[in-house]
Amino acid sequence: MTLVLPTVLAEVAGGRTEFALTGVSSVRAALDNVGESYPILARRLRDERGQLRRYVNVYVDGDDVRRREGLDTAVGEGQEILVIQSVAGG
C-alpha cells in the first residue's frame, strides 16, 4: 500500500511525499509506522489523544476515513492512503 502526503508536509517527513508500506492492516498502523521515523509529522497529523487533528483529512482509495471506521479503517495491498491537510485562513 502507499501512503501519500501533501508537499507541505514533506519537510517534516524527510523530504518525502510517498511511502510504500507493507504489513499494516489499518490507517492507524500506517500512520504509526511512518510516525515512528518522523515524530514531528506524527504530531502534525494526530493530537495528544492519538486522534486525527481537525484539519487533517485521510482518504483510503478516495473514501474519507471519518465516514468509515476512522483510524481503524482497514487497508490492504494495492490501496492508497491519501493525507490532505486543510488550509485555514481568511
Side-chain angles (χ1 to χ4, degrees):
M1 117 204 22
T2 305
L3 175 73
V4 180
L5 298 173
T7 304
V8 70
L9 291 176
E11 82 175 49
V12 294
R16 299 175 64 184
T17 58
E18 194 169 300
F19 296 84
L21 304 174
T22 58
V24 296
S25 59
S26 69
V27 171
R28 182 184 315 276
L31 295 180
D32 287 346
N33 183 293
V34 174
E36 287 176 15
S37 298
Y38 303 101
I40 295 172
L41 173 64
R43 288 192 300 273
R44 293 261 181 102
L45 299 180
R46 293 192 277 182
D47 63 21
E48 49 285 332
R49 296 173 302 147
Q51 299 302 311
L52 287 176
R53 292 196 178 276
R54 183 174 177 191
Y55 296 108
V56 173
N57 298 302
V58 177
Y59 299 87
V60 173
D61 289 341
D63 293 329
D64 187 342
V65 299
R66 285 189 173 101
R67 296 179 187 258
R68 294 177 70 187
E69 290 83 36
L71 291 173
D72 295 322
T73 300
V75 294
E77 291 304 314
Q79 289 190 295
E80 179 182 79
I81 300 170
L82 176 63
V83 176
I84 298 176
Q85 190 173 24
S86 299
V87 178

